[in-house]
Amino acid sequence: MITTESISAIREQVRAWRIKGETVAFVPTMGNLHLGHLTLVKEARSRADHVIASIFVNPMQFGQNEDLDAYPRTLADDQNALIEAGAELLFTPTPAIIYPKGMDAQTFVEVPLISDQLCGESRPGHFRGVATIVCKLFNIVQPDIAVFGQKDFQQLLVIKTMVEDLSMPIEIIGVATIRETSGLAMSSRNGYLTAAQKQRAVVLKQTLDNMAIELSSGKQIDAVIEAAETTIAAAGFKNDYLDIRHAKTFSKALNSDRELVILVAAYMGDTRLIDNLVVKLP
């Protein structure tokens, strides 16, 4: 696997593949890779002739008092894991390469409406940072396919909307959340949890599952959310949000809706965890 921080090197290699009529899939990451990330790479490998991954801890999507400086950097381990998963090219730019004029002078991309809700409301500017870096990476790599995890359902929807709105010729693939044996969604931030916190954190997925059962039995949405908030708080979480949305439009779910997504963000100690569950009602 080739590792480079050079934009021109990425473009030169992609051009060489294109001349031969070969396809390119892309998996952008912030590194500190786990099985969830590697599943994305393997999915990309199954859909294209070549796979490019990137590792870039994007300062634009971190807010004040968030964990930018503490975010784990594990490049050597990540490289080995990517080779095993089938990536052929790894792009590892620095902030100076991505934002040469500094972030304050950087053109940005913003997806309206979706970006202002839930995680966007809790983390102002977060999805502007996500959309901007993903758009820039897409312009650098110019892939046929890009693969993302469904663990961050809202982020995936932001990216799909951006690609559609800006007429980008890229197919966006969402891959189901990879979980630990306990049911906890795999995340780089799980490493911040103590053993005791990690044990309590499994309540998030258990609560989502119970909410799905209650919705399927005809229980009203507001009542389902209220009961779940109590359960999460009793497990030691500080709730950021817990909501049920229409899975396609992301609008507030109505009791008559059949395609739903339950979304949660909550703090276990200082660690913010997110999860979601798509529910299709009869």
Side-chain angles (χ1 to χ4, degrees), residues 241-261:
Y241 63 77
L242 177 62
D243 207 355
I244 300 174
R245 298 295 179 98
H246 191 288
K248 301 296 184 186
T249 67
F250 213 63
S251 59
K252 282 276 191 180
L254 304 175
N255 289 308
S256 58
D257 289 336
R258 302 292 89 188
E259 294 186 76
L260 307 173
V261 57

mmCIF file of all heavy atoms in Angstrom, residues 241-261:
data_model
loop_
_atom_site.group_PDB
_atom_site.id
_atom_site.type_symbol
_atom_site.label_atom_id
_atom_site.label_comp_id
_atom_site.label_asym_id
_atom_site.label_seq_id
_atom_site.Cartn_x
_atom_site.Cartn_y
_atom_site.Cartn_z
ATOM 1 N N TYR A 241 -29.337 14.156 23.226
ATOM 2 C CA TYR A 241 -30.650 14.105 22.583
ATOM 3 C C TYR A 241 -31.072 12.655 22.418
ATOM 4 O O TYR A 241 -30.240 11.748 22.330
ATOM 5 C CB TYR A 241 -30.660 14.829 21.233
ATOM 6 C CG TYR A 241 -29.761 14.243 20.171
ATOM 7 C CD1 TYR A 241 -30.116 13.084 19.473
ATOM 8 C CD2 TYR A 241 -28.546 14.845 19.841
ATOM 9 C CE1 TYR A 241 -29.290 12.547 18.500
ATOM 10 C CE2 TYR A 241 -27.725 14.303 18.867
ATOM 11 C CZ TYR A 241 -28.099 13.158 18.203
ATOM 12 O OH TYR A 241 -27.286 12.623 17.234
ATOM 13 N N LEU A 242 -32.339 12.443 22.383
ATOM 14 C CA LEU A 242 -32.954 11.168 22.034
ATOM 15 C C LEU A 242 -34.196 11.514 21.238
ATOM 16 O O LEU A 242 -35.090 12.193 21.745
ATOM 17 C CB LEU A 242 -33.306 10.366 23.278
ATOM 18 C CG LEU A 242 -34.024 9.031 23.042
ATOM 19 C CD1 LEU A 242 -33.156 8.076 22.247
ATOM 20 C CD2 LEU A 242 -34.423 8.393 24.370
ATOM 21 N N ASP A 243 -34.246 11.088 19.990
ATOM 22 C CA ASP A 243 -35.340 11.514 19.129
ATOM 23 C C ASP A 243 -35.677 10.419 18.132
ATOM 24 O O ASP A 243 -34.878 9.511 17.882
ATOM 25 C CB ASP A 243 -34.963 12.804 18.388
ATOM 26 C CG ASP A 243 -36.178 13.649 18.015
ATOM 27 O OD1 ASP A 243 -37.313 13.191 18.248
ATOM 28 O OD2 ASP A 243 -35.984 14.751 17.489
ATOM 29 N N ILE A 244 -36.861 10.536 17.561
ATOM 30 C CA ILE A 244 -37.319 9.626 16.523
ATOM 31 C C ILE A 244 -37.684 10.472 15.313
ATOM 32 O O ILE A 244 -38.481 11.406 15.415
ATOM 33 C CB ILE A 244 -38.518 8.784 16.986
ATOM 34 C CG1 ILE A 244 -38.139 7.955 18.217
ATOM 35 C CG2 ILE A 244 -39.005 7.875 15.853
ATOM 36 C CD1 ILE A 244 -39.293 7.203 18.841
ATOM 37 N N ARG A 245 -37.078 10.140 14.168
ATOM 38 C CA ARG A 245 -37.283 10.899 12.938
ATOM 39 C C ARG A 245 -37.788 9.984 11.821
ATOM 40 O O ARG A 245 -37.635 8.765 11.889
ATOM 41 C CB ARG A 245 -35.973 11.561 12.498
ATOM 42 C CG ARG A 245 -35.411 12.582 13.491
ATOM 43 C CD ARG A 245 -36.343 13.768 13.622
ATOM 44 N NE ARG A 245 -35.900 14.763 14.559
ATOM 45 C CZ ARG A 245 -35.259 15.889 14.218
ATOM 46 N NH1 ARG A 245 -34.969 16.129 12.939
ATOM 47 N NH2 ARG A 245 -34.914 16.761 15.132
ATOM 48 N N HIS A 246 -38.359 10.606 10.809
ATOM 49 C CA HIS A 246 -38.680 9.872 9.593
ATOM 50 C C HIS A 246 -37.356 9.494 8.936
ATOM 51 O O HIS A 246 -36.476 10.345 8.749
ATOM 52 C CB HIS A 246 -39.522 10.733 8.653
ATOM 53 C CG HIS A 246 -40.109 9.984 7.500
ATOM 54 N ND1 HIS A 246 -39.336 9.525 6.449
ATOM 55 C CD2 HIS A 246 -41.374 9.585 7.234
ATOM 56 C CE1 HIS A 246 -40.101 8.899 5.587
ATOM 57 N NE2 HIS A 246 -41.344 8.907 6.037
ATOM 58 N N ALA A 247 -37.196 8.228 8.599
ATOM 59 C CA ALA A 247 -35.907 7.729 8.126
ATOM 60 C C ALA A 247 -35.501 8.296 6.775
ATOM 61 O O ALA A 247 -34.311 8.320 6.453
ATOM 62 C CB ALA A 247 -35.930 6.209 8.062
ATOM 63 N N LYS A 248 -36.455 8.764 5.976
ATOM 64 C CA LYS A 248 -36.137 9.287 4.647
ATOM 65 C C LYS A 248 -35.997 10.807 4.643
ATOM 66 O O LYS A 248 -35.068 11.349 4.053
ATOM 67 C CB LYS A 248 -37.217 8.869 3.646
ATOM 68 C CG LYS A 248 -37.404 7.367 3.514
ATOM 69 C CD LYS A 248 -36.174 6.678 2.967
ATOM 70 C CE LYS A 248 -36.424 5.192 2.750
ATOM 71 N NZ LYS A 248 -35.195 4.474 2.347
ATOM 72 N N THR A 249 -36.924 11.497 5.298
ATOM 73 C CA THR A 249 -36.946 12.963 5.242
ATOM 74 C C THR A 249 -36.232 13.621 6.409
ATOM 75 O O THR A 249 -35.910 14.802 6.355
ATOM 76 C CB THR A 249 -38.398 13.465 5.224
ATOM 77 O OG1 THR A 249 -39.016 13.158 6.492
ATOM 78 C CG2 THR A 249 -39.188 12.814 4.098
ATOM 79 N N PHE A 250 -35.993 12.877 7.474
ATOM 80 C CA PHE A 250 -35.384 13.366 8.711
ATOM 81 C C PHE A 250 -36.276 14.366 9.442
ATOM 82 O O PHE A 250 -35.837 15.033 10.371
ATOM 83 C CB PHE A 250 -34.001 13.977 8.449
ATOM 84 C CG PHE A 250 -33.056 13.770 9.610
ATOM 85 C CD1 PHE A 250 -32.683 12.498 9.994
ATOM 86 C CD2 PHE A 250 -32.542 14.843 10.309
ATOM 87 C CE1 PHE A 250 -31.810 12.304 11.066
ATOM 88 C CE2 PHE A 250 -31.661 14.663 11.375
ATOM 89 C CZ PHE A 250 -31.296 13.387 11.748
ATOM 90 N N SER A 251 -37.522 14.478 9.032
ATOM 91 C CA SER A 251 -38.469 15.326 9.745
ATOM 92 C C SER A 251 -38.909 14.636 11.025
ATOM 93 O O SER A 251 -38.731 13.421 11.187
ATOM 94 C CB SER A 251 -39.682 15.627 8.866
ATOM 95 O OG SER A 251 -40.315 14.419 8.484
ATOM 96 N N LYS A 252 -39.459 15.399 11.954
ATOM 97 C CA LYS A 252 -39.981 14.838 13.198
ATOM 98 C C LYS A 252 -40.979 13.733 12.879
ATOM 99 O O LYS A 252 -41.887 13.922 12.073
ATOM 100 C CB LYS A 252 -40.657 15.927 14.028
ATOM 101 C CG LYS A 252 -39.696 16.829 14.779
ATOM 102 C CD LYS A 252 -39.293 16.180 16.095
ATOM 103 C CE LYS A 252 -38.556 17.171 16.992
ATOM 104 N NZ LYS A 252 -38.163 16.541 18.267
ATOM 105 N N ALA A 253 -40.813 12.587 13.499
ATOM 106 C CA ALA A 253 -41.669 11.448 13.184
ATOM 107 C C ALA A 253 -43.081 11.677 13.709
ATOM 108 O O ALA A 253 -43.284 12.243 14.790
ATOM 109 C CB ALA A 253 -41.092 10.177 13.777
ATOM 110 N N LEU A 254 -44.045 11.231 12.925
ATOM 111 C CA LEU A 254 -45.444 11.223 13.327
ATOM 112 C C LEU A 254 -45.832 9.794 13.699
ATOM 113 O O LEU A 254 -45.219 8.824 13.228
ATOM 114 C CB LEU A 254 -46.331 11.716 12.180
ATOM 115 C CG LEU A 254 -45.999 13.101 11.604
ATOM 116 C CD1 LEU A 254 -46.888 13.382 10.392
ATOM 117 C CD2 LEU A 254 -46.150 14.178 12.666
ATOM 118 N N ASN A 255 -46.852 9.658 14.516
ATOM 119 C CA ASN A 255 -47.295 8.322 14.914
ATOM 120 C C ASN A 255 -47.783 7.502 13.727
ATOM 121 O O ASN A 255 -47.812 6.273 13.783
ATOM 122 C CB ASN A 255 -48.391 8.422 15.980
ATOM 123 C CG ASN A 255 -47.845 8.896 17.313
ATOM 124 O OD1 ASN A 255 -46.879 8.345 17.821
ATOM 125 N ND2 ASN A 255 -48.451 9.924 17.881
ATOM 126 N N SER A 256 -48.123 8.169 12.629
ATOM 127 C CA SER A 256 -48.583 7.473 11.434
ATOM 128 C C SER A 256 -47.439 7.039 10.518
ATOM 129 O O SER A 256 -47.653 6.272 9.581
ATOM 130 C CB SER A 256 -49.546 8.371 10.644
ATOM 131 O OG SER A 256 -48.900 9.591 10.289
ATOM 132 N N ASP A 257 -46.216 7.509 10.770
ATOM 133 C CA ASP A 257 -45.083 7.160 9.916
ATOM 134 C C ASP A 257 -44.690 5.696 10.094
ATOM 135 O O ASP A 257 -44.770 5.148 11.206
ATOM 136 C CB ASP A 257 -43.879 8.044 10.227
ATOM 137 C CG ASP A 257 -44.070 9.483 9.766
ATOM 138 O OD1 ASP A 257 -44.874 9.687 8.846
ATOM 139 O OD2 ASP A 257 -43.403 10.377 10.328
ATOM 140 N N ARG A 258 -44.228 5.068 9.023
ATOM 141 C CA ARG A 258 -43.850 3.655 9.065
ATOM 142 C C ARG A 258 -42.345 3.441 8.985
ATOM 143 O O ARG A 258 -41.848 2.390 9.397
ATOM 144 C CB ARG A 258 -44.525 2.894 7.912
ATOM 145 C CG ARG A 258 -46.054 2.962 7.866
ATOM 146 C CD ARG A 258 -46.694 2.227 9.033
ATOM 147 N NE ARG A 258 -46.872 3.126 10.181
ATOM 148 C CZ ARG A 258 -47.262 2.719 11.385
ATOM 149 N NH1 ARG A 258 -47.460 1.442 11.625
ATOM 150 N NH2 ARG A 258 -47.417 3.590 12.372
ATOM 151 N N GLU A 259 -41.616 4.383 8.395
ATOM 152 C CA GLU A 259 -40.168 4.255 8.273
ATOM 153 C C GLU A 259 -39.511 5.257 9.221
ATOM 154 O O GLU A 259 -39.540 6.466 8.980
ATOM 155 C CB GLU A 259 -39.721 4.513 6.836
ATOM 156 C CG GLU A 259 -40.214 3.476 5.852
ATOM 157 C CD GLU A 259 -39.634 3.669 4.466
ATOM 158 O OE1 GLU A 259 -38.450 3.317 4.263
ATOM 159 O OE2 GLU A 259 -40.350 4.195 3.594
ATOM 160 N N LEU A 260 -38.939 4.747 10.290
ATOM 161 C CA LEU A 260 -38.435 5.586 11.358
ATOM 162 C C LEU A 260 -36.950 5.321 11.611
ATOM 163 O O LEU A 260 -36.418 4.262 11.275
ATOM 164 C CB LEU A 260 -39.212 5.312 12.653
ATOM 165 C CG LEU A 260 -40.734 5.391 12.583
ATOM 166 C CD1 LEU A 260 -41.347 4.926 13.899
ATOM 167 C CD2 LEU A 260 -41.190 6.801 12.243
ATOM 168 N N VAL A 261 -36.311 6.298 12.215
ATOM 169 C CA VAL A 261 -34.969 6.081 12.745
ATOM 170 C C VAL A 261 -34.919 6.699 14.138
ATOM 171 O O VAL A 261 -35.332 7.844 14.347
ATOM 172 C CB VAL A 261 -33.869 6.681 11.819
ATOM 173 C CG1 VAL A 261 -34.075 8.168 11.575
ATOM 174 C CG2 VAL A 261 -32.485 6.418 12.395
#
